Amino acid sequence: MAYSLGMTQTSANTGKAASKSAAPAATAHDTPAMRQVRRFKQQHPDCVLFFRMGDFYEMFYDDAKLAHKVLGVTLTQRTEGIPMAGVPYHAVEGYLRRMIQAGYRVAVCDQVEDPKQAKGVVKRDVTRVITPGTLTDESLLDEGRDNPLAAVMFHDEQHASVAWAELSTGAFTVARFEVGELADELARVGPSELLFVETANGAAPGRVAQVAEALGCATAARPAWQFRQAEAVEALKRQFGVASLSGFGFEDDDAALGPAAAIVHYLLETQCAADEQGRPRERIAHLRPPCCFDRCAHLVIDQTSLRSLEVERTLRSGETDGSLLSVLSTCVTAMGKRMLRHWLCYPLCDRQAIEARQRVVQALVDDARFADELRDALDGVQDVQRIVGRIAVGRASPRDLVALGRSSAAAAQLTDLVADRPTVRAHHERIAATADALDALATRITGACVDSPPAHLREGGLIRDGVDARLDEARGLQRDSNTWLAKYQKSLIDQTGITSLKVGYNKVFGFYIELSAANSAKAPDAWSRKQTLKNAERYITPELKDYEGKVLSAEQRAISREQDLFAELCAAAAERLNELDAFAQLVAELDVLACFADRAVRHRYVRPVLVDQPVLDIRDGRHPVLDERLGDQFVPNDVALGVTKGPRDQGTKEANQNGNTSVPRPP
């Protein structure tokens, strides 16, 4: 039994209803294009349909009225009684962002056929469905925050399974919770969209609606069969190309697989992915196998505490500015900013893991030169995770590709920088394992692409001269046409003896040979008359006609060839997904650790000493946010919980035995 995306319903936390409207009825003035509009609107009734027509994305009927209201675009009429509004295709991302922020879903319908080759109406198809939880484009995302899509399934009154994935980076996690833990854990995940098992009326069940309202996220119903165990197992096996899920740590009867499979189905449907033969894809290439979340591996922070402590946002404004995250973050990469947020929401519980981080921070504090060199090297790394995500779903830009090439080249630099440093030996081993592959990828991309790439390939300009013979030939025809025509004109004058002969070009008639009326009788028989003017005759020769065809098609052939070369480079990058992901993870970790070291030096923070006793002993403690805001006006405080003379002395003894050192206190 098949279900289309149009069967789902969506509501958004903004209080605005999803654009669920019946497809417009046929009219007496119907055109083939409007029949396409009706068909795609029937398939996606809960979406605003952005329908590509020439240089614009047009909206019709109720969608046009909504666009006029939300986007402020002019409301016109295509024909009498058919409201229409449009936005330029080259600026569509900004309008999409505003529509998503307003709480609506968008189906983007593109021309999938060259209008010049079309016989009748241009073929179109919905190439992607944009929802709050499935964003990949840079302009639609906050670089410092993940944008997870989550799915929840209740097994009984006490137990639930949850999965969440980040399409822009490929991260994928599953978990099992007590129902009472669900709201707290989803608050830490921070999903933008929450999927649930479809109900009879399509509305979210009370428990789902309550959680979604508290989190301020959109919801979407999904067919129940997508959550069923047998179908879920097959969907996940197909996605990851495996015969068994045991290699990922899951048995076929694992209850957490249902929400995970629902996410895979949703991603495939919203991306409307197709392979080179136009067949629906069965997998999202960069989506990593799901890892199982262990709640006991992290300090549990409930939803109320997360909000009250203002870890991510302030209570007063609801904005990041003024939160702990904003004060601590001096990360130089987008990946580091997102990882810092994750580390703050999921503090470690394992003492060894905490102390391993501390040792790296201490090494950076002690060696300012190393810290500066590391941050300088990291500063040149772009958002590799999200660039790879856009490559995987076929929406990378030329600038994405060049940024990926430059970032990949940084792997070798970082390998050399962290070599022979015991505190970062594990990081060195991880990055060294990727360096050769990424260096080869970087060489290929940077060698083929110009240093200042265009934002798109509509007019070419990405590939360097000398990289591809076919591209050079097409460009040569464009650049050298005037020279060729001058030489050709001279050769014709030499052949005919007509010194007033001219070879010219205009957009209407193309290339021509022009003779005055007095000389027209001298035209060779092999010339074909092309146009008669008042005082002149114009002719064409087979040689000139052949050259005309080459020149007039040269620009399009050059652009087409660049698009092919761009696709080849993207495919080469896609073959290095594992290395790129490992590199991105390592860059993010080093960036956060360097950020901690920078904060420690700037604010003279002290390295805490961990002991096994249940005590918290803080002397002259300073709240990071208040210390930043109040400066010298803030008065340090002591905190002693469960402290007796024994544990306090024991902590000092352990610190001395372990060789732990601290940044000195300010006077």
Side-chain angles (χ1 to χ4, degrees):
M1 183 175 182
Y3 291 77
S4 72
L5 191 59
M7 295 293 290
T8 67
Q9 293 190 11
T10 303
S11 61
N13 63 294
T14 59
K16 301 175 180 64
S19 176
K20 188 170 181 65
S21 58
T27 69
H29 303 289
D30 238 356
T31 65
M34 291 307 296
R35 286 195 287 272
Q36 287 182 332
V37 169
R38 288 206 317 277
R39 175 160 58 89
F40 294 127
K41 189 62 181 177
Q42 287 172 348
Q43 294 173 2
H44 304 280
D46 54 351
C47 296
V48 178
L49 184 66
F50 276 47
F51 187 82
R52 177 71 181 272
M53 298 187 75
D55 291 338
F56 286 83
Y57 280 100
E58 304 285 5
M59 287 140 279
F60 301 95
Y61 297 98
D62 290 343
D63 286 350
K65 296 176 182 177
L66 181 63
H68 171 65
K69 178 181 177 181
V70 175
L71 305 177
V73 295
T74 302
L75 186 65
T76 62
Q77 291 190 25
R78 178 175 175 84
T79 56
E80 187 175 356
I82 302 180
M84 180 180 75
V87 299
Y89 80 99
H90 57 80
V92 70
E93 298 302 332
Y95 292 103
L96 291 176
R97 181 185 183 91
R98 290 165 59 187
M99 191 64 75
I100 295 297
Q101 289 176 338
Y104 299 99
R105 307 168 82 234
V106 178
V108 179
C109 182
D110 283 311
Q111 296 173 174
V112 295
E113 180 183 29
D114 186 347
K116 296 179 181 178
Q117 306 295 327
K119 296 180 179 179
V121 65
V122 178
K123 292 181 181 178
R124 295 178 174 87
D125 201 357
V126 172
T127 55
R128 54 176 168 154
V129 176
I130 305 174
T131 74
T134 59
L135 307 178
T136 58
D137 297 324
E138 184 178 15
S139 62
L140 303 178
L141 292 165
D142 179 349
E143 70 168 11
R145 287 184 58 84
D146 288 325
N147 188 62
L149 166 71
V152 61
M153 180 180 183
F154 293 94
H155 304 297
D156 51 44
E157 292 299 319
Q158 301 297 325
H159 303 91
S161 294
V162 180
W164 60 94
E166 231 282 20
L167 179 61
S168 70
T169 65
F172 198 9
T173 307
V174 299
R176 310 166 196 87
F177 297 125
E178 299 289 332
V179 170
E181 302 168 345
L182 186 62
D184 292 338
E185 291 305 325
L186 283 176
R188 292 206 281 184
V189 174
S192 297
E193 191 171 9
L194 182 62
L195 310 181
F196 61 91
V197 181
E198 187 176 40
T199 58
N201 62 2
R207 291 181 294 189
V208 174
Q210 185 177 7
V211 170
E213 182 178 0
L215 298 178
C217 71
T219 59
R222 303 302 296 152
W225 67 266
Q226 294 185 358
F227 290 83
R228 284 201 294 262
Q229 201 68 27
E231 286 84 349
V233 170
E234 289 306 312
L236 292 170
K237 287 179 180 178
R238 191 165 54 247
Q239 158 64 30
F240 298 108
V242 295
S244 171
L245 300 176
S246 59
F248 304 143
F250 299 97
E251 299 301 327
D252 286 356
D253 60 351
D254 195 311
L257 299 181
I263 283 180
V264 170
H265 281 292
Y266 194 65
L267 292 180
L268 286 170
E269 291 180 14
T270 56
Q271 299 315 294
C272 302
D275 62 17
E276 292 74 10
Q277 286 73 44
R279 297 170 302 192
R281 291 189 189 274
E282 295 185 338
R283 60 189 302 269
I284 302 292
H286 71 297
L287 190 66
R288 297 193 292 274
C291 62
C292 190
F293 173 72
D294 182 5
R295 198 168 191 247
C296 297
H298 305 275
L299 178 68
V300 175
I301 304 179
D302 62 82
Q303 183 179 2
T304 301
S305 298
L306 190 68
R307 184 173 61 254
S308 299
L309 292 172
E310 297 186 328
V311 174
E312 296 183 85
R313 301 181 184 276
T314 63
L315 286 171
R316 178 174 297 179
S317 68
E319 301 295 330
T320 301
D321 185 42
S323 67
L324 178 63
L325 177 62
S326 70
V327 169
L328 290 183
S329 182
T330 58
C331 295
V332 296
T333 72
M335 298 174 291
K337 293 174 184 177
R338 294 194 294 273
M339 182 164 283
L340 173 60
R341 184 262 175 195
H342 181 78
W343 282 10
L344 291 180
C345 292
Y346 294 92
L348 293 175
C349 288
D350 182 71
R351 178 174 175 176
Q352 291 184 345
I354 296 171
E355 290 176 338
R357 288 181 183 175
Q358 287 182 326
R359 286 191 291 272
V360 177
V361 175
Q362 187 70 60
L364 293 168
V365 168
D366 294 340
D367 191 340
R369 181 177 178 180
F370 173 44
D372 289 342
E373 290 176 347
L374 178 61
R375 286 171 68 84
D376 286 343
L378 294 173
D379 196 25
V381 180
Q382 301 297 308
D383 198 342
V384 173
Q385 289 176 324
R386 285 184 168 169
I387 291 174
V388 168
R390 288 192 287 275
I391 287 175
V393 296
R395 283 195 287 277
S397 71
R399 291 177 181 174
D400 283 334
L401 183 65
V402 172
L404 184 65
R406 292 172 180 165
S407 299
S408 298
Q413 180 185 0
L414 284 171
T415 302
D416 295 338
L417 185 60
V418 301
D420 302 322
R421 294 182 180 274
T423 54
V424 289
R425 180 179 294 112
H427 294 84
H428 175 263
E429 292 173 354
R430 288 165 57 193
I431 197 169
T434 68
D436 289 344
L438 296 187
D439 189 58
L441 177 63
T443 299
R444 182 173 178 182
I445 293 175
T446 57
C449 300
V450 298
D451 295 332
S452 299
H456 50 74
L457 277 179
R458 290 192 291 269
E459 297 177 359
L462 172 65
I463 306 300
R464 298 179 188 272
D465 289 338
V467 171
D468 182 77
R470 289 166 56 189
L471 178 59
D472 290 343
E473 178 187 7
R475 286 176 173 172
L477 286 170
Q478 293 176 266
R479 287 194 296 259
D480 303 335
S481 60
N482 289 336
T483 302
W484 188 92
L485 290 174
K487 291 180 178 179
Y488 186 62
Q489 177 176 299
K490 184 178 183 302
S491 69
L492 291 178
I493 291 174
D494 292 341
Q495 291 173 18
T496 63
I498 306 173
T499 57
S500 61
L501 176 150
K502 295 180 181 179
V503 177
Y505 167 80
N506 68 40
K507 293 183 178 180
V508 177
F509 293 99
F511 289 108
Y512 57 83
I513 304 166
E514 184 174 294
L515 299 179
S516 65
N519 290 319
S520 61
K522 299 179 182 180
D525 294 338
W527 293 11
S528 301
R529 181 176 281 104
K530 189 170 188 178
Q531 184 184 14
T532 300
L533 303 178
K534 182 177 181 181
N535 297 312
E537 294 286 344
R538 289 178 175 176
Y539 301 86
I540 190 75
T541 66
E543 184 179 10
L544 186 58
K545 183 66 176 177
D546 181 62
Y547 187 74
E548 177 185 68
K550 291 180 180 179
V551 172
L552 295 183
S553 64
E555 180 179 7
Q556 186 54 48
R557 287 190 290 114
I559 293 173
S560 178
R561 183 56 183 161
E562 281 202 70
Q563 291 171 341
D564 291 342
L565 294 172
F566 173 72
E568 290 175 9
L569 292 172
C570 287
E575 292 175 357
R576 295 299 179 187
L577 288 179
N578 292 335
E579 291 90 343
L580 288 166
D581 179 64
F583 173 61
Q585 290 289 332
L586 183 129
V587 165
E589 289 178 22
L590 289 175
D591 193 14
V592 177
L593 294 171
C595 162
F596 287 162
D598 175 74
R599 295 282 88 185
V601 171
R602 185 172 303 185
H603 294 284
R604 304 178 72 81
Y605 290 158
V606 171
R607 175 180 176 179
V609 177
L610 301 182
V611 296
D612 292 331
Q613 290 80 6
V615 300
L616 176 65
D617 185 7
I618 301 174
R619 307 178 192 180
D620 292 334
R622 290 171 289 142
H623 190 288
V625 178
L626 296 179
D627 193 33
E628 173 103 351
R629 294 299 176 94
L630 300 179
D632 295 339
Q633 299 178 32
F634 184 79
V635 179
N637 297 277
D638 291 351
V639 175
L641 301 178
V643 173
T644 62
K645 183 177 180 180
R648 179 179 284 239
D649 292 342
Q650 179 66 23
T652 303
K653 180 179 178 182
E654 286 196 25
N656 292 333
Q657 288 176 344
N658 294 334
N660 291 346
T661 57
S662 302
V663 179
R665 284 286 183 198

